[in-house]
mmCIF file of all heavy atoms in Angstrom:
data_model
loop_
_atom_site.group_PDB
_atom_site.id
_atom_site.type_symbol
_atom_site.label_atom_id
_atom_site.label_comp_id
_atom_site.label_asym_id
_atom_site.label_seq_id
_atom_site.Cartn_x
_atom_site.Cartn_y
_atom_site.Cartn_z
ATOM 1 N N TYR A 1 0.875 -1.198 -0.066
ATOM 2 C CA TYR A 1 -0.083 0.047 -0.014
ATOM 3 C C TYR A 1 0.903 1.257 0.040
ATOM 4 O O TYR A 1 0.278 2.391 -0.163
ATOM 5 C CB TYR A 1 -0.869 0.080 1.222
ATOM 6 C CG TYR A 1 -2.078 -0.903 1.199
ATOM 7 C CD1 TYR A 1 -2.507 -1.753 2.352
ATOM 8 C CD2 TYR A 1 -2.829 -1.076 0.117
ATOM 9 C CE1 TYR A 1 -3.497 -2.509 2.214
ATOM 10 C CE2 TYR A 1 -3.913 -1.905 -0.030
ATOM 11 C CZ TYR A 1 -4.284 -2.638 1.115
ATOM 12 O OH TYR A 1 -5.320 -3.548 1.033
ATOM 13 N N ARG A 2 2.153 1.118 0.208
ATOM 14 C CA ARG A 2 3.027 2.291 0.252
ATOM 15 C C ARG A 2 2.964 3.101 -1.169
ATOM 16 O O ARG A 2 2.991 2.485 -2.135
ATOM 17 C CB ARG A 2 4.438 1.890 0.528
ATOM 18 C CG ARG A 2 5.393 3.095 0.649
ATOM 19 C CD ARG A 2 6.837 2.454 1.016
ATOM 20 N NE ARG A 2 7.831 3.543 1.252
ATOM 21 C CZ ARG A 2 8.608 4.126 0.425
ATOM 22 N NH1 ARG A 2 8.543 3.631 -0.837
ATOM 23 N NH2 ARG A 2 9.454 5.000 0.699
ATOM 24 N N ASN A 3 2.765 4.370 -1.068
ATOM 25 C CA ASN A 3 2.729 5.338 -2.144
ATOM 26 C C ASN A 3 1.416 5.042 -2.907
ATOM 27 O O ASN A 3 1.259 5.509 -4.129
ATOM 28 C CB ASN A 3 3.885 5.078 -3.128
ATOM 29 C CG ASN A 3 5.194 5.716 -2.503
ATOM 30 O OD1 ASN A 3 5.091 6.593 -1.666
ATOM 31 N ND2 ASN A 3 6.263 5.173 -2.869
ATOM 32 N N THR A 4 0.394 4.409 -2.380
ATOM 33 C CA THR A 4 -0.909 4.461 -2.968
ATOM 34 C C THR A 4 -1.715 5.647 -2.430
ATOM 35 O O THR A 4 -1.385 6.384 -1.333
ATOM 36 C CB THR A 4 -1.757 3.195 -2.648
ATOM 37 O OG1 THR A 4 -1.946 3.168 -1.165
ATOM 38 C CG2 THR A 4 -1.013 1.954 -3.253
ATOM 39 N N LYS A 5 -2.703 6.162 -3.098
ATOM 40 C CA LYS A 5 -3.473 7.201 -2.726
ATOM 41 C C LYS A 5 -4.934 6.831 -2.269
ATOM 42 O O LYS A 5 -5.494 5.827 -2.721
ATOM 43 C CB LYS A 5 -3.521 8.289 -3.781
ATOM 44 C CG LYS A 5 -4.162 7.857 -5.050
ATOM 45 C CD LYS A 5 -4.030 8.895 -6.101
ATOM 46 C CE LYS A 5 -4.645 8.534 -7.446
ATOM 47 N NZ LYS A 5 -4.562 9.457 -8.517
ATOM 48 N N LEU A 6 -5.530 7.706 -1.542
ATOM 49 C CA LEU A 6 -6.985 7.621 -1.255
ATOM 50 C C LEU A 6 -7.688 7.931 -2.497
ATOM 51 O O LEU A 6 -7.311 8.888 -3.220
ATOM 52 C CB LEU A 6 -7.355 8.326 -0.078
ATOM 53 C CG LEU A 6 -6.710 7.916 1.294
ATOM 54 C CD1 LEU A 6 -7.374 8.707 2.445
ATOM 55 C CD2 LEU A 6 -6.783 6.500 1.545
ATOM 56 N N LEU A 7 -8.837 7.361 -2.716
ATOM 57 C CA LEU A 7 -9.403 7.313 -4.002
ATOM 58 C C LEU A 7 -10.728 8.195 -4.114
ATOM 59 O O LEU A 7 -10.848 8.889 -4.984
ATOM 60 C CB LEU A 7 -9.788 5.887 -4.539
ATOM 61 C CG LEU A 7 -8.568 5.008 -4.789
ATOM 62 C CD1 LEU A 7 -8.998 3.498 -4.733
ATOM 63 C CD2 LEU A 7 -7.711 5.452 -5.854
ATOM 64 N N GLN A 8 -11.482 8.045 -3.056
ATOM 65 C CA GLN A 8 -12.777 8.875 -3.005
ATOM 66 C C GLN A 8 -13.344 8.876 -1.704
ATOM 67 O O GLN A 8 -13.029 8.133 -0.764
ATOM 68 C CB GLN A 8 -13.706 8.424 -3.937
ATOM 69 C CG GLN A 8 -14.200 7.003 -3.746
ATOM 70 C CD GLN A 8 -15.270 6.519 -4.738
ATOM 71 O OE1 GLN A 8 -14.963 5.453 -5.454
ATOM 72 N NE2 GLN A 8 -16.290 7.137 -4.881
ATOM 73 N N VAL A 9 -14.114 9.864 -1.509
ATOM 74 C CA VAL A 9 -15.166 9.955 -0.227
ATOM 75 C C VAL A 9 -16.496 9.525 -0.733
ATOM 76 O O VAL A 9 -17.015 10.080 -1.651
ATOM 77 C CB VAL A 9 -15.077 11.269 0.335
ATOM 78 C CG1 VAL A 9 -16.023 11.321 1.547
ATOM 79 C CG2 VAL A 9 -13.686 11.895 0.752
ATOM 80 N N CYS A 10 -17.042 8.630 -0.084
ATOM 81 C CA CYS A 10 -18.349 8.211 -0.502
ATOM 82 C C CYS A 10 -19.362 8.668 0.543
ATOM 83 O O CYS A 10 -19.105 8.620 1.859
ATOM 84 C CB CYS A 10 -18.463 6.630 -0.534
ATOM 85 S SG CYS A 10 -17.453 5.974 -1.845
ATOM 86 N N ASP A 11 -20.545 9.148 0.155
ATOM 87 C CA ASP A 11 -21.629 9.699 1.024
ATOM 88 C C ASP A 11 -21.160 10.596 1.968
ATOM 89 O O ASP A 11 -21.439 10.710 3.089
ATOM 90 C CB ASP A 11 -22.347 8.529 1.819
ATOM 91 C CG ASP A 11 -22.883 7.517 0.813
ATOM 92 O OD1 ASP A 11 -23.461 7.797 -0.180
ATOM 93 O OD2 ASP A 11 -22.861 6.380 1.243
ATOM 94 N N LYS A 12 -20.367 11.687 1.372
ATOM 95 C CA LYS A 12 -19.893 12.805 2.235
ATOM 96 C C LYS A 12 -20.810 13.490 2.925
ATOM 97 O O LYS A 12 -21.988 13.895 2.380
ATOM 98 C CB LYS A 12 -19.071 13.700 1.398
ATOM 99 C CG LYS A 12 -18.243 14.746 2.120
ATOM 100 C CD LYS A 12 -17.340 15.649 1.334
ATOM 101 C CE LYS A 12 -16.581 16.577 2.072
ATOM 102 N NZ LYS A 12 -15.613 17.453 1.163
ATOM 103 N N GLY A 13 -20.668 13.584 4.217
ATOM 104 C CA GLY A 13 -21.543 14.454 5.138
ATOM 105 C C GLY A 13 -22.826 13.579 5.622
ATOM 106 O O GLY A 13 -23.588 14.020 6.490
ATOM 107 N N GLN A 14 -22.878 12.289 5.148
ATOM 108 C CA GLN A 14 -23.954 11.377 5.504
ATOM 109 C C GLN A 14 -23.521 10.546 6.684
ATOM 110 O O GLN A 14 -22.278 10.376 6.859
ATOM 111 C CB GLN A 14 -24.484 10.645 4.339
ATOM 112 C CG GLN A 14 -25.020 11.455 3.203
ATOM 113 C CD GLN A 14 -26.141 12.410 3.543
ATOM 114 O OE1 GLN A 14 -27.144 11.974 4.080
ATOM 115 N NE2 GLN A 14 -25.939 13.534 3.163
ATOM 116 N N PRO A 15 -24.443 9.964 7.332
ATOM 117 C CA PRO A 15 -24.027 8.977 8.531
ATOM 118 C C PRO A 15 -23.283 7.798 8.111
ATOM 119 O O PRO A 15 -22.579 7.247 8.941
ATOM 120 C CB PRO A 15 -25.425 8.570 9.101
ATOM 121 C CG PRO A 15 -26.433 9.770 8.750
ATOM 122 C CD PRO A 15 -25.897 10.170 7.376
ATOM 123 N N ASP A 16 -23.321 7.410 6.772
ATOM 124 C CA ASP A 16 -22.551 6.260 6.429
ATOM 125 C C ASP A 16 -21.323 6.638 5.536
ATOM 126 O O ASP A 16 -20.831 5.959 4.685
ATOM 127 C CB ASP A 16 -23.399 5.292 5.516
ATOM 128 C CG ASP A 16 -24.049 6.019 4.267
ATOM 129 O OD1 ASP A 16 -24.106 7.173 4.235
ATOM 130 O OD2 ASP A 16 -24.533 5.275 3.488
ATOM 131 N N GLU A 17 -20.773 7.767 5.851
ATOM 132 C CA GLU A 17 -19.587 8.344 5.219
ATOM 133 C C GLU A 17 -18.448 7.410 5.369
ATOM 134 O O GLU A 17 -18.127 6.866 6.447
ATOM 135 C CB GLU A 17 -19.315 9.757 5.787
ATOM 136 C CG GLU A 17 -18.055 10.495 5.150
ATOM 137 C CD GLU A 17 -17.845 11.732 5.855
ATOM 138 O OE1 GLU A 17 -17.143 11.761 6.933
ATOM 139 O OE2 GLU A 17 -18.285 12.670 5.437
ATOM 140 N N TYR A 18 -17.679 7.229 4.256
ATOM 141 C CA TYR A 18 -16.322 6.444 4.404
ATOM 142 C C TYR A 18 -15.434 6.990 3.300
ATOM 143 O O TYR A 18 -15.838 7.545 2.266
ATOM 144 C CB TYR A 18 -16.638 5.004 4.303
ATOM 145 C CG TYR A 18 -17.416 4.577 3.014
ATOM 146 C CD1 TYR A 18 -16.703 4.102 1.924
ATOM 147 C CD2 TYR A 18 -18.825 4.466 2.968
ATOM 148 C CE1 TYR A 18 -17.404 3.664 0.733
ATOM 149 C CE2 TYR A 18 -19.466 4.026 1.954
ATOM 150 C CZ TYR A 18 -18.793 3.556 0.812
ATOM 151 O OH TYR A 18 -19.433 3.196 -0.416
ATOM 152 N N VAL A 19 -14.119 6.473 3.429
ATOM 153 C CA VAL A 19 -13.105 6.809 2.427
ATOM 154 C C VAL A 19 -12.769 5.485 1.802
ATOM 155 O O VAL A 19 -12.803 4.433 2.530
ATOM 156 C CB VAL A 19 -11.883 7.545 3.012
ATOM 157 C CG1 VAL A 19 -12.475 8.892 3.589
ATOM 158 C CG2 VAL A 19 -11.219 6.822 4.033
ATOM 159 N N VAL A 20 -12.162 5.529 0.608
ATOM 160 C CA VAL A 20 -11.747 4.320 -0.098
ATOM 161 C C VAL A 20 -10.234 4.480 -0.459
ATOM 162 O O VAL A 20 -9.821 5.485 -0.867
ATOM 163 C CB VAL A 20 -12.503 4.125 -1.343
ATOM 164 C CG1 VAL A 20 -12.144 2.866 -2.130
ATOM 165 C CG2 VAL A 20 -14.068 4.215 -1.142
ATOM 166 N N GLY A 21 -9.502 3.352 -0.420
ATOM 167 C CA GLY A 21 -8.064 3.384 -0.694
ATOM 168 C C GLY A 21 -7.687 2.021 -1.049
ATOM 169 O O GLY A 21 -8.406 0.952 -0.977
ATOM 170 N N GLY A 22 -6.284 1.897 -1.404
ATOM 171 C CA GLY A 22 -5.840 0.500 -1.455
ATOM 172 C C GLY A 22 -5.585 0.017 -2.874
ATOM 173 O O GLY A 22 -5.240 -1.273 -3.016
ATOM 174 N N ASP A 23 -5.555 0.764 -3.843
ATOM 175 C CA ASP A 23 -5.405 0.287 -5.277
ATOM 176 C C ASP A 23 -3.832 0.346 -5.556
ATOM 177 O O ASP A 23 -3.218 1.202 -6.036
ATOM 178 C CB ASP A 23 -5.958 1.235 -6.229
ATOM 179 C CG ASP A 23 -5.847 0.638 -7.649
ATOM 180 O OD1 ASP A 23 -5.104 -0.344 -7.865
ATOM 181 O OD2 ASP A 23 -6.503 1.189 -8.604
ATOM 182 N N TYR A 24 -3.276 -0.885 -5.182
ATOM 183 C CA TYR A 24 -1.793 -1.072 -5.317
ATOM 184 C C TYR A 24 -1.360 -1.318 -6.759
ATOM 185 O O TYR A 24 -0.090 -1.234 -6.977
ATOM 186 C CB TYR A 24 -1.316 -2.146 -4.414
ATOM 187 C CG TYR A 24 -1.872 -3.587 -4.853
ATOM 188 C CD1 TYR A 24 -1.080 -4.187 -5.848
ATOM 189 C CD2 TYR A 24 -2.938 -4.058 -4.412
ATOM 190 C CE1 TYR A 24 -1.553 -5.540 -6.223
ATOM 191 C CE2 TYR A 24 -3.421 -5.370 -4.800
ATOM 192 C CZ TYR A 24 -2.659 -6.062 -5.756
ATOM 193 O OH TYR A 24 -3.171 -7.256 -6.148
ATOM 194 N N GLU A 25 -2.315 -1.563 -7.694
ATOM 195 C CA GLU A 25 -2.001 -1.905 -9.005
ATOM 196 C C GLU A 25 -1.972 -0.663 -9.910
ATOM 197 O O GLU A 25 -0.947 -0.458 -10.486
ATOM 198 C CB GLU A 25 -2.988 -2.797 -9.539
ATOM 199 C CG GLU A 25 -2.905 -4.262 -8.943
ATOM 200 C CD GLU A 25 -3.897 -5.159 -9.570
ATOM 201 O OE1 GLU A 25 -5.107 -4.955 -9.525
ATOM 202 O OE2 GLU A 25 -3.398 -6.237 -10.290
ATOM 203 N N SER A 26 -3.052 0.129 -10.100
ATOM 204 C CA SER A 26 -3.238 1.173 -10.945
ATOM 205 C C SER A 26 -3.337 2.553 -10.306
ATOM 206 O O SER A 26 -3.338 3.555 -10.897
ATOM 207 C CB SER A 26 -4.327 1.007 -12.001
ATOM 208 O OG SER A 26 -5.516 0.781 -11.276
ATOM 209 N N ASN A 27 -3.651 2.564 -8.952
ATOM 210 C CA ASN A 27 -3.717 3.690 -8.146
ATOM 211 C C ASN A 27 -4.933 4.623 -8.720
ATOM 212 O O ASN A 27 -4.785 5.910 -8.364
ATOM 213 C CB ASN A 27 -2.410 4.544 -8.113
ATOM 214 C CG ASN A 27 -2.119 5.087 -6.706
ATOM 215 O OD1 ASN A 27 -2.819 4.750 -5.747
ATOM 216 N ND2 ASN A 27 -0.994 5.883 -6.602
ATOM 217 N N ASP A 28 -5.821 4.069 -9.238
ATOM 218 C CA ASP A 28 -6.975 4.953 -9.795
ATOM 219 C C ASP A 28 -8.360 4.269 -9.438
ATOM 220 O O ASP A 28 -9.417 4.843 -9.881
ATOM 221 C CB ASP A 28 -6.969 5.115 -11.246
ATOM 222 C CG ASP A 28 -6.876 3.835 -12.087
ATOM 223 O OD1 ASP A 28 -7.060 2.829 -11.402
ATOM 224 O OD2 ASP A 28 -6.723 3.915 -13.343
ATOM 225 N N GLY A 29 -8.249 3.240 -8.687
ATOM 226 C CA GLY A 29 -9.536 2.650 -8.373
ATOM 227 C C GLY A 29 -10.058 1.513 -9.221
ATOM 228 O O GLY A 29 -10.945 0.802 -8.955
ATOM 229 N N GLU A 30 -9.294 1.322 -10.344
ATOM 230 C CA GLU A 30 -9.651 0.253 -11.330
ATOM 231 C C GLU A 30 -8.909 -1.031 -10.988
ATOM 232 O O GLU A 30 -9.260 -2.169 -11.378
ATOM 233 C CB GLU A 30 -9.221 0.631 -12.619
ATOM 234 C CG GLU A 30 -10.071 1.802 -13.274
ATOM 235 C CD GLU A 30 -11.609 1.603 -13.290
ATOM 236 O OE1 GLU A 30 -11.907 0.406 -13.632
ATOM 237 O OE2 GLU A 30 -12.239 2.476 -12.765
#
């Protein structure tokens, strides 16, 4: 996971808000 980036915030401002990360392959969520 080193040098990967966080990809997006989902449901921002909502009670089920969360962040997504971990694309060690292409670093774009694909």
